[in-house]
Amino acid sequence: MKPPYLRQPPGHVTLPAPIWFRVEQMPDNGTYPSLRHAWGEFVYCYSGVTELRTGGQVLLAPPHMAFWIPAGVDQVGYNRRATVHVSIYIDQSLCGAMPSKPASLRVTPLLRAMLDQLEGAPFDGTPRQARLLRVMVDEMETCAVTQSFLPDSDHPALRRLLAALHDAPSDRQSTATLARAHGLSERT
């Protein structure tokens, strides 16, 4: 496997605004180093699948989902295939209604439409953009928390199976079919 592409996030000590965002394109095997913010972070993928490793769990964010990462949480972001995602950083004073632990969120259609407005836009700090971002935070609070995790394994065959599921999280093959395709028993 090719070594990961390491990307350093912006080194802010304080946020440039109460709600700030950036859109990133990450190549195959892109990763961020272990980090922790003094603010909340909402991560949404426009394309590809991003995974978040935090507190012994791995959460996945395909395009219809997002992550919520509360302030003060150790985290590592990673993607096996190229992705385009937006990170929205939210001052802790605006995060009261968000989950208290890292979570996968089901993005509402309204929030998805607003996120689409950010895809090609730079952060400009205008009052219009600030209002949009504030409404987005209100809508984030309505997103359902969902279970979107993928276990990990050191077993070579299980690792291949899990990698295949990671690359195609919507794969609806039965457990028996997936096991046969990877030389495993259904019980394994």
Side-chain angles (χ1 to χ4, degrees):
M1 176 187 259
K2 183 173 126 177
Y5 171 84
L6 184 64
R7 171 80 50 95
Q8 292 288 348
H12 296 296
V13 175
T14 60
L15 290 176
I19 306 168
W20 183 74
F21 75 91
R22 66 189 175 82
V23 176
E24 287 279 351
Q25 293 183 5
M26 292 291 283
D28 290 353
N29 295 312
T31 190
Y32 289 96
S34 180
L35 55 105
R36 178 190 308 198
H37 301 302
W39 45 79
E41 182 179 2
F42 178 91
V43 179
Y44 173 79
C45 284
Y46 294 107
S47 64
V49 177
T50 295
E51 76 183 52
L52 176 71
R53 295 174 187 265
T54 180
Q57 70 184 83
V58 178
L59 300 173
L60 298 179
H64 64 286
M65 296 181 60
F67 299 133
W68 170 249
I69 309 162
V73 171
D74 292 322
Q75 58 180 293
V76 174
Y78 179 79
N79 56 281
R80 296 172 198 266
R81 304 283 179 258
T83 65
V84 177
H85 72 272
V86 63
S87 289
I88 301 174
Y89 303 103
I90 305 166
D91 186 271
Q92 209 168 353
S93 66
L94 301 173
C95 297
M98 296 300 289
S100 61
K101 296 182 179 180
S104 292
L105 304 175
R106 197 169 309 123
V107 176
T108 67
L110 176 58
L111 182 55
R112 185 173 298 119
M114 290 186 282
L115 288 161
D116 287 345
Q117 293 296 306
L118 299 182
E119 187 172 8
F123 178 81
D124 61 19
T126 61
R128 181 176 190 269
Q129 191 178 69
R131 287 189 304 273
L132 174 66
L133 292 170
R134 184 61 185 109
V135 171
M136 289 176 75
V137 172
D138 290 343
E139 188 65 15
M140 287 173 198
E141 295 170 358
T142 70
C143 291
V145 173
T146 186
Q147 296 297 318
S148 171
F149 66 93
L150 192 60
D152 202 5
S153 175
D154 291 330
H155 187 280
L158 281 176
R159 187 175 285 280
R160 285 189 300 276
L161 170 61
L162 293 170
L165 288 172
H166 179 278
D167 290 343
S170 61
D171 187 338
R172 297 211 183 269
Q173 292 182 65
S174 71
T175 305
T177 302
L178 286 168
R180 268 193 314 278
H182 291 276
L184 300 167
S185 71
E186 187 173 356
R187 183 175 172 171
T188 300

